[in-house]
Amino acid sequence: VHGVLRRSSSFNTGRIEHLYKNRRTHLEGNMKLHYGDLTDSTCLVKIINEVKPTEIYNLGAQSHVKISFDLAEYTANVDGVGTLRLLDAIKTCGLTNSVRFYQASTSELYGKVQEIPQKETTPFYPRSPYGAAKLYAYWIVVNFREAYNMFAVNGILFNHESPRRGANFVTRKITRSVAKIHLGLQDCIYLGNLGAMRDWGHAKDYVEAMWMMLQHKVPEDFVIATGKVHSVRDFVEKAFQHVGTTIVWEGENEQEVGRNKETGAILVRVDPKFFRPTEV
């Protein structure tokens, strides 16, 4: 397995360190990392030409929806044009007939949903620069599949979570904060829209689905989801229940708070700075 690693001044391999042959010295085993970036087409051509892969999974992105409003141009460059650069690199290296390409599409394509439940034929209506950039990537994959007969597919995945999720995503933010509050290291969690609804599944199942898409006989786009939605409020309640704390809610909108039922201490508050300009 070969991976592409962005250069950073600090170590950014925390979530894959267990895959090194020697994690202390970053000695490689069956996983080899190459320095590269989705904004640099030259390095992508070089890596693909050197490795000559049979399967490529494009999971690279500026993937935080809220941050995409602040970094809209960068998000478009990485998430949209970055996908084009990868597909072009495959073509440049003459591997269109031998590579199977997986594009990490997203449920954010549906945004302002046009039908419930969403399926492969549901019209897209993205509500963020992230969703719009991913929409370009989706269609450029379809274009390369139809224009060059390339085995290229989109996996339209709903939210998939695990302990490896980044700490500034709401699921990890909640679970980490609940643990810190339980240990007396933190007093309160500050969150955005508590009523936001999401379909959360486990990353392990979704990655298996990605692999299955590339083993399929014909290239086809699939929606992967659990089919169940829960609110951020539900997630908070479940996380606190895990450490034996019951949350009761008071107030509305920005004044809503979550209290510890036994002690009355406020453990959850709303901070408008975490609201998104448009909600899905």
Side-chain angles (χ1 to χ4, degrees):
V1 175
H2 293 258
V4 175
L5 177 71
R6 274 179 303 149
R7 161 74 183 118
S8 171
S9 300
S10 52
F11 277 121
N12 56 357
T13 55
R15 283 180 275 173
I16 56 169
E17 241 153 37
H18 63 290
L19 298 173
Y20 284 105
K21 192 173 183 181
N22 184 328
R23 66 179 73 183
R24 288 191 177 178
T25 61
H26 280 205
L27 188 71
E28 293 174 338
N30 291 329
M31 177 190 68
K32 300 189 186 305
L33 293 176
H34 306 259
Y35 279 109
D37 198 295
L38 283 168
T39 62
D40 183 346
S41 54
T42 306
C43 78
L44 297 178
V45 171
K46 187 176 157 217
I47 294 166
I48 289 171
N49 193 48
E50 181 188 328
V51 174
K52 292 191 166 50
T54 51
E55 296 181 358
I56 293 178
Y57 295 83
N58 180 26
L59 314 182
Q62 189 302 100
S63 60
H64 200 289
V65 178
K66 171 73 168 69
I67 292 170
S68 78
F69 286 95
D70 303 317
L71 298 177
E73 183 186 335
Y74 175 74
T75 302
N77 192 6
V78 176
D79 302 14
V81 185
T83 305
L84 171 63
R85 291 188 187 102
L86 260 179
L87 291 165
D88 241 352
I90 294 168
K91 186 164 160 278
T92 300
C93 295
L95 299 175
T96 47
N97 296 324
S98 57
V99 167
R100 294 193 168 205
F101 181 85
Y102 173 85
Q103 167 62 15
S105 283
T106 168
S107 58
E108 292 287 329
L109 294 176
Y110 297 123
K112 190 176 178 182
V113 299
Q114 302 300 294
E115 63 177 351
I116 297 172
Q118 293 93 63
K119 52 184 184 283
E120 286 81 1
T121 54
T122 301
F124 299 131
Y125 198 136
R127 297 264 282 176
S128 65
Y130 169 76
K134 283 286 193 175
L135 185 58
Y136 174 85
Y138 172 92
W139 283 115
I140 205 68
V141 167
V142 173
N143 190 251
F144 268 68
R145 180 168 71 215
E146 295 178 353
Y148 306 112
N149 204 28
M150 189 188 289
F151 194 109
V153 302
N154 288 288
I156 305 171
L157 274 54
F158 278 72
N159 295 49
H160 38 293
E161 312 294 326
S162 87
R164 293 203 181 103
R165 177 63 115 168
N168 66 339
F169 285 81
V170 72
T171 47
R172 282 289 279 146
K173 181 180 177 180
I174 292 167
T175 55
R176 282 165 63 91
S177 297
V178 166
K180 286 178 179 177
I181 289 169
H182 184 64
L183 296 170
L185 302 174
Q186 185 174 319
D187 298 324
C188 185
I189 315 174
Y190 290 87
L191 297 168
N193 182 1
L194 295 171
M197 305 292 285
R198 292 291 183 276
D199 181 323
W200 283 299
H202 198 293
K204 204 170 181 181
D205 299 325
Y206 286 57
V207 173
E208 186 178 0
M210 295 175 194
W211 178 81
M212 288 172 73
M213 283 183 226
L214 289 200
Q215 314 317 309
H216 206 50
K217 286 182 180 175
V218 292
E220 202 174 338
D221 304 324
F222 291 98
V223 173
I224 306 298
T226 71
K228 296 175 183 174
V229 291
H230 298 278
S231 67
V232 172
R233 198 181 283 102
D234 293 338
F235 199 106
V236 170
E237 288 175 12
K238 282 277 196 296
F240 272 109
Q241 279 173 14
H242 199 69
V243 294
T245 300
T246 301
I247 294 291
V248 289
W249 302 98
E250 294 175 7
E252 291 182 359
N253 303 321
E254 293 175 24
Q255 276 67 52
E256 186 171 5
V257 296
R259 291 186 186 273
N260 182 329
K261 189 178 179 181
E262 290 181 10
T263 67
I266 295 176
L267 303 182
V268 187
R269 290 185 185 274
V270 173
D271 188 335
K273 82 172 182 180
F274 296 121
F275 288 172
R276 295 173 183 180
T278 46
E279 184 58 78
V280 304

